[in-house]
Amino acid sequence: MLPPEAGVSVLVVEDDSGIATQLVRALTRGGYSVQHVITGTEALAADDHDVVLLDLGLPDGDGVEVCRRIRARSDTAIIVITAHGEESDRVLALDAGADDYMVKPFGLVELQARIRAVLRRIKPGGGDVLRYGQLVVDTRTHKVSVSGEDVQLTPKEFDILQCLAADPGRVVSRQEILETAWDSHWYGPTKVLDVHVAALRRKIGVPGLIETVYGRGYRLGEA
Ligand code: CA
């Protein structure tokens, strides 16, 4: 089945090319359709999207004013992104109609959770449950079951499983899982991933469900 993010469009307004590249890549992998612009002027000229990720420090002026103008014309979900210490800007942005804010640096798992949360407020009843055979992954409550039996996972195990279950059959690279489940800037040893995957397999208890694709990564296979 399609992940809940399928068909959701996101506008990324961010002038830092490094951050923008990470965001676009992660969101695209997560099933969102993504447009990236650099300036507030471009953001206001863009088509409507379901979600706007709006950096408040833009090259052509005040992100709070951009937020206010987007809100004046549409019900799109707005999540503002601020640098550490810009608390007054966050308050102004929330007053200007932003739904939520995130402070840099933030993890991509948290970002996707925030996006799902704002979408639930805007589009209640949207799907949050990934199903694959006997496996059910509820991305809202973080409950997992196999053949109707609840499986207790740690947060990391859940994040890894969610990466795989979002697009069953696709090979998800080790780096992609590390970036999603740990942090957007994970440069540490990747052995830690094997340890968590081993525990995850043990708890899921379905031989062959989580396949190792040697030299590439993991995927959900035919159980
Ligand atoms: Ca900026």
Side-chain angles (χ1 to χ4, degrees):
M1 71 170 258
L2 289 171
E5 292 80 6
V8 172
S9 66
V10 181
L11 178 66
V12 174
V13 188
E14 171 62 77
D15 59 309
D16 181 314
S17 62
I19 293 172
T21 301
Q22 293 249 11
L23 289 175
V24 169
R25 194 173 57 179
L27 293 170
T28 303
R29 283 172 176 170
Y32 299 92
S33 78
V34 185
Q35 183 186 356
H36 170 224
V37 298
I38 294 168
T39 66
T41 306
E42 289 172 301
L44 291 167
D47 292 335
D48 276 352
H49 290 71
D50 298 306
V51 181
V52 178
L53 296 184
L54 176 63
D55 178 30
L56 288 186
L58 293 171
D60 60 340
D62 184 359
V64 173
E65 183 56 27
V66 174
C67 179
R68 192 186 324 279
R69 289 173 63 183
I70 293 173
R71 175 55 73 232
R73 70 168 196 216
S74 93
D75 293 331
T76 190
I78 304 172
I79 301 175
V80 296
I81 298 171
T82 68
H84 186 65
E86 293 176 334
E87 187 185 356
S88 59
D89 283 356
R90 294 198 286 279
V91 173
L92 287 173
L94 292 171
D95 283 344
D99 296 278
D100 202 353
Y101 66 84
M102 299 202 59
V103 180
K104 298 176 190 177
F106 49 80
L108 296 169
V109 169
E110 184 187 359
L111 172 65
Q112 297 199 27
R114 300 283 189 101
I115 290 175
R116 285 194 296 271
V118 295
L119 287 174
R120 270 198 303 281
R121 289 204 290 272
I122 291 169
K123 299 178 172 177
D128 287 300
V129 179
L130 308 172
R131 291 174 201 278
Y132 183 66
Q134 293 301 304
L135 175 69
V136 178
V137 180
D138 188 321
T139 61
R140 188 175 65 83
T141 63
H142 283 208
K143 286 206 162 103
V144 173
S145 66
V146 176
S147 305
E149 297 283 324
D150 285 348
V151 179
Q152 303 298 325
L153 299 181
T154 66
K156 283 283 180 275
E157 291 161 1
F158 181 88
D159 290 343
I160 294 165
L161 182 61
Q162 186 179 339
C163 282
L164 301 175
D167 193 358
R170 182 171 78 84
V171 179
V172 186
S173 74
R174 300 172 60 83
Q175 190 59 35
E176 182 177 344
I177 296 172
L178 287 165
E179 286 178 6
T180 308
W182 270 260
D183 184 82
S184 54
H185 302 282
W186 177 266
Y187 299 115
T190 66
K191 178 80 183 151
V192 64
L193 177 58
D194 301 306
V195 174
H196 285 284
V197 169
L200 179 58
R201 281 186 172 131
R202 204 162 51 236
K203 290 182 180 179
I204 295 291
V206 180
L209 181 64
I210 299 173
E211 287 182 358
T212 302
V213 182
Y214 286 100
R216 294 175 64 197
Y218 298 98
R219 72 173 164 210
L220 288 197
E222 304 290 331

